[in-house]
Amino acid sequence: MEDRIITLAQLNAGEAGMPLGSEMWMYEGPLTHRDTDFLPVRFDALIGIAVHHGSAVFSIDGKEYRLEPNTVGILRPYCYLSNFSTLNGEPIDVSIIGCSEKVEDNMADTLSEIMPLVIKLHIDPVVKMQPGGVEALRPYLDLLRRMAVNEPRQAQTSRKAGCIFKAAIYEIIERRMPDETSGLSGRSREITAHFFYLLGKYFQEHRDVEFYATSLQISAKHLSTVLKATSGKTAGDWIELYVVREAKILLSNSSLRIKEIASRLHFSSQAFFGKYFRNITGMSPSDYRR
């Protein structure tokens, strides 16, 4: 059993969907459980799924979520997709956009403007839209589809498609249903969004709160105070959650030896990894794997 990763290049080279240059990919149409026989899997891309008709249940990082009409699912790069099933076996009609980490990083310069969505996606990857919200994305999807048909592999296609995708993200923010992140103050929201952005990129290499606090130019204490107020967890809690969740996925769904998992998660030794894992979960990695 391997920890399988499907790359954006593989999506663009496959029969399903259409390339949008080398950094983006698009699929529109029906999706059933038979189309997801390749699961479990990770994608090295940011994946956006707009649902037009039908319902489905899927699991991300071991937790189950539901896609319904007028919702948008956004999957972070390298999250673990382990299940997908449609309601009563009926197809779900979707539009799917895949973006490379390069395209995602290009959006980081507007992180302050898309903060509510960044925070939301680290708590729940499904965005419920106001009535007609997904339908309002049609003009952006139409532009992307025409681009995929007329200039699928031109040098500037991904750059132009990335701008359209960014505009669609703004539309999602404007038309999403209010949730627990909507009332956060500007500065607290900014700190929280930037923390989650950094955490998603660096949790395997950096487990110390000080790294994230220094990157945000605030104290570790202030970072944890803000996160506790905005998300219900401290910075240390979130770091532990991400590290242990990844460890559990690798222990349960890969043939990697425990020593290799410890190395992948940047622990200095298998013993240190085992102690860290036991302190948080109450069991050793080998016991959990059984």
Side-chain angles (χ1 to χ4, degrees), residues 4-280:
R4 187 183 179 204
I5 296 174
I6 293 180
T7 67
L8 189 70
Q10 289 173 313
L11 290 174
N12 274 334
E15 296 181 359
M18 302 173 287
L20 284 162
S22 60
E23 304 292 339
M24 293 184 65
W25 168 85
M26 181 179 194
Y27 170 84
E28 288 195 300
L31 196 63
T32 72
H33 68 279
R34 291 185 296 275
D35 299 311
T36 57
D37 290 340
F38 54 83
L39 298 179
V41 74
R42 301 178 197 257
F43 295 97
D44 74 344
L46 179 74
I47 303 290
I49 309 169
V51 182
H52 305 292
H53 301 287
S55 300
V57 173
F58 69 110
S59 295
I60 293 293
D61 294 333
K63 188 173 181 180
E64 190 171 274
Y65 301 95
R66 187 182 180 97
L67 287 170
E68 298 176 325
N70 206 43
T71 62
V72 175
I74 302 183
L75 314 185
R76 294 171 287 104
Y78 298 102
C79 67
Y80 189 76
L81 178 61
S82 57
N83 174 58
F84 181 91
S85 58
T86 58
L87 187 64
N88 299 322
E90 295 295 321
I92 181 172
D93 185 32
V94 296
S95 297
I96 304 176
I97 306 295
C99 300
S100 71
E101 289 188 277
K102 180 179 178 180
V103 173
E104 183 189 12
D105 287 342
N106 286 340
M107 289 194 287
D109 60 348
T110 58
L111 191 59
S112 60
E113 299 171 25
I114 63 174
M115 286 185 294
L117 194 60
V118 173
I119 298 170
K120 162 71 176 172
L121 296 180
H122 283 264
I123 298 172
D124 183 345
V126 178
V127 181
K128 294 181 180 179
M129 304 291 283
Q130 297 174 19
V134 166
E135 189 61 29
L137 299 176
R138 285 286 188 187
Y140 306 100
L141 296 170
D142 289 344
L143 282 171
L144 291 171
R145 187 189 315 108
R146 286 199 294 271
M147 194 174 294
V149 170
N150 297 323
E151 46 184 297
R153 301 188 185 278
Q154 292 184 15
Q156 295 300 316
T157 297
S158 289
R159 185 181 296 275
K160 291 190 289 185
C163 292
I164 297 170
F165 182 72
K166 186 186 293 187
I169 292 293
Y170 287 133
E171 193 77 39
I172 292 170
I173 292 171
E174 183 177 329
R175 294 180 179 272
R176 73 188 183 118
M177 294 291 287
D179 57 38
E180 65 274 15
T181 67
S182 302
L184 301 180
S185 69
R187 181 55 179 159
S188 293
R189 191 168 62 183
E190 181 180 356
I191 290 171
T192 304
H194 278 83
F195 169 77
F196 280 132
Y197 176 75
L198 293 169
L199 183 64
K201 285 187 169 296
Y202 299 115
F203 76 91
Q204 294 192 26
E205 292 90 351
H206 296 284
R207 295 183 297 277
D208 54 310
V209 175
E210 193 64 41
F211 167 81
Y212 300 95
T214 300
S215 299
L216 294 169
Q217 298 182 323
I218 58 176
S219 70
K221 181 179 180 180
H222 183 52
L223 173 59
S224 285
T225 299
V226 169
L227 287 170
K228 184 69 174 179
T230 59
S231 69
K233 292 182 174 66
T234 66
D237 292 337
W238 278 111
I239 294 167
E240 288 181 355
L241 186 153
Y242 269 60
V243 173
V244 171
R245 183 175 65 193
E246 181 67 12
K248 287 180 175 179
I249 289 170
L250 294 174
L251 288 166
S252 300
N253 301 284
S254 81
S255 56
L256 293 172
R257 294 177 298 169
I258 293 176
K259 182 178 180 179
E260 292 172 317
I261 294 173
S263 177
R264 178 178 290 199
L265 295 175
H266 290 260
F267 284 88
S268 57
S269 67
Q270 180 176 333
F272 183 28
F273 168 61
K275 182 178 180 181
Y276 182 94
F277 190 88
R278 182 187 289 275
N279 285 342
I280 297 170

